[in-house]
Amino acid sequence: MSSSARELSSDPTPPHPSPKEQLIASLERLVQNFPPDSLQPHGGFYYGPASIALLFFALSKHYADDLRISNKHLSAWFTAYFSSLPDPLRSGSGGSGGSDHPSSNHCGVMEDLLSTLALQAGAYSDKRAAVKLCDLATVADTPGISDEWLYGRAGYLYLLRLAKSGFAPNNGLEILDRIEYTAQLVILAIHRSPQPWSWHGKVYLGAVHGVIGIITQIVLTVPSCAAGRLEQLLDSLLRTQSEDSGNWPSSLPAGRRDRLVQVCHGAPGVVVSLLAIRKYFPGLETRIDEAVARGRSLIKERGLLPAKEPCLCHGVSGNALALAEADLDAFLAHATEERMGQLIDAGVMEPSSHPEGLWTGEAGRAWAWAVADKGLERGLLGYNDL
């Protein structure tokens, strides 16, 4: 790496930009560079058009109609991106294989048909979509399905929460009961899985593929599950935090490597998760607070990740959402278009293979700017915002 690149990657004090201005600029780039008709329907809520639709749906709940992007309201952009997806209720239109069934080995937030059904139910209070999402829960009991968030059963729980958000007792009590019953079945399947939970033969600990992600999705879906076995698992997870660095290993056994500091593996994802579930574990609150403090110190020290394009999964935008407000602003100063250009020109930033995505690119940066602008809870959209 050249000396100029080292200077850019280690410079801690770029000017703090206006989150509102950066949000608008990010959304303008998103709709201009990746319009609805330019993207293939793939990637669920991780990347692709469904992930952008989820972003605009979420933002439309936090911003008044006076916020326009390329002369359209946020809700109009949601409609445009959502309309580019195959109709999940039409036979032969959904799923990764083009059928009306989900992928045979995926049921998490990256599964296209299930993600679209959940968004249709949540955004439009569509009872048919909610019923179909629940009917397809049989895939979550299929042998070989993982338990983690991105591809597995924990992700299915987020999809059920999204669908549930579209209904209230006065317009869908029967649907709410159906969703809650389905969630209990999925949680039972998770508990029946061989433990410790593993993904691709490894016992991962992080938010995307690991133990903390599974615990978080279960507890946010059915808080009463926090007692007993999950409290024991969380206690064990807290014990794996390094006393020296404050990081968590990506998998067990921990070994000697302490390298990854990002949402998918390491302290940022664990910290965001702990902040979301802390109130459900009163017996562990003091230890959670101590773990969060050590984790945040590590993130401030090692979490800028100049080699990765800013994104939620493995970049500075996601890491910023694990920090307190003042540190959030300082981190997001490294996620501006100008700053990215400097790092790309210096040869120290790796561009994303899905630069439009919610968890992989521009849509995720927009969400982080919105969190900073509105002072929202430290939620990762598609993970713990519901």
Side-chain angles (χ1 to χ4, degrees), residues 160-175:
L160 289 171
R161 295 203 307 277
L162 176 59
K164 182 180 178 180
S165 70
F167 301 93
N170 64 349
N171 76 338
L173 183 58
E174 182 179 349
I175 293 297

Side-chain angles (χ1 to χ4, degrees), residues 249-310:
S250 60
S251 62
L252 297 178
R256 297 180 179 179
R257 302 189 73 181
D258 177 12
R259 182 171 59 89
L260 299 177
V261 184
Q262 51 203 46
V263 164
C264 48
H265 301 291
V270 179
V271 167
V272 168
S273 301
L274 291 175
L275 292 171
I277 63 176
R278 174 186 181 275
K279 63 183 179 182
Y280 302 113
F281 294 94
L284 296 175
E285 283 184 352
T286 299
R287 292 181 56 205
I288 288 173
D289 292 342
E290 293 170 350
V292 166
R294 290 200 303 270
R296 281 176 161 175
S297 294
L298 167 78
I299 296 165
K300 287 189 289 184
E301 179 183 351
R302 290 171 46 193
L304 282 177
L305 301 176
K308 300 283 188 177
E309 178 175 332

